């Protein structure tokens, strides 16, 4: 069970991700870079007790940032978009 919490790091809550929840019942999470779709599906089903229909993953590249004279890159991460079965929701997103 602890392994699942290591795979799913945090939810991504943006305007676009909230729109996807309303329209398509798709939830977005930051996940471990080495996690595959099968592992992500099992983790989401175990953590939130829902039925996952589909998982899409995206590798987000590091983004260049500058603050005054300091410059660098934001961290790269992997994002998973998880589609749930009809009629199921994740209560953590319904704020």
């Amino acid at each position: 069970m602890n392994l699942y919490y290591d795979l799913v790091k945090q939810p991504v809550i943006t305007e676009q991700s909230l729109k996807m929840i309303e329209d398509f019942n798709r939830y977005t999470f930051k996940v471990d870079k080495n996690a595959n779709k099968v592992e992500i599906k099992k983790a989401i089903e175990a953590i939130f007790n829902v039925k996952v229909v589909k998982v899409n993953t995206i590798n987000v590249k590091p983004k260049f940032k500058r603050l005054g004279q300091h410059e660098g890159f934001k961290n790269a991460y992997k994002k998973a978009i998880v589609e749930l079965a009809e009629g199921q929701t994740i209560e953590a997103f319904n704020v």
Side-chain angles (χ1 to χ4, degrees):
M1 188 66 157
N2 218 6
L3 173 69
Y4 294 142
Y5 288 100
D6 293 337
L7 288 179
V8 179
K9 302 211 181 279
Q10 68 186 51
V12 176
I13 300 176
T14 60
E15 286 184 25
Q16 185 176 5
S17 67
L18 292 176
K19 183 88 168 135
M20 285 177 29
I21 292 170
E22 293 173 8
D23 296 343
F24 306 109
N25 202 23
R26 292 182 182 166
Y27 294 81
T28 309
F29 297 93
K30 281 187 181 180
V31 295
D32 186 67
K33 283 185 182 181
N34 299 321
N36 62 36
K37 292 181 181 186
V38 175
E39 293 171 339
I40 294 168
K41 178 179 178 178
K42 287 180 184 177
I44 297 295
E45 287 179 344
I47 293 170
F48 297 107
N49 196 23
V50 292
K51 176 72 175 130
V52 175
V53 175
K54 184 174 165 183
V55 178
N56 293 353
T57 58
I58 303 155
N59 286 312
V60 180
K61 295 185 177 176
K63 189 182 282 186
F64 181 77
K65 289 290 181 182
R66 180 180 296 136
L67 182 63
Q69 71 185 51
H70 303 287
E71 55 187 37
F73 288 90
K74 291 180 81 174
N75 291 335
Y77 61 94
K78 190 174 205 175
K79 184 165 62 171
I81 300 173
V82 179
E83 184 175 340
L84 300 184
E86 190 71 33
Q88 296 198 337
T89 60
I90 296 176
E91 295 302 320
F93 282 85
N94 299 336
V95 178

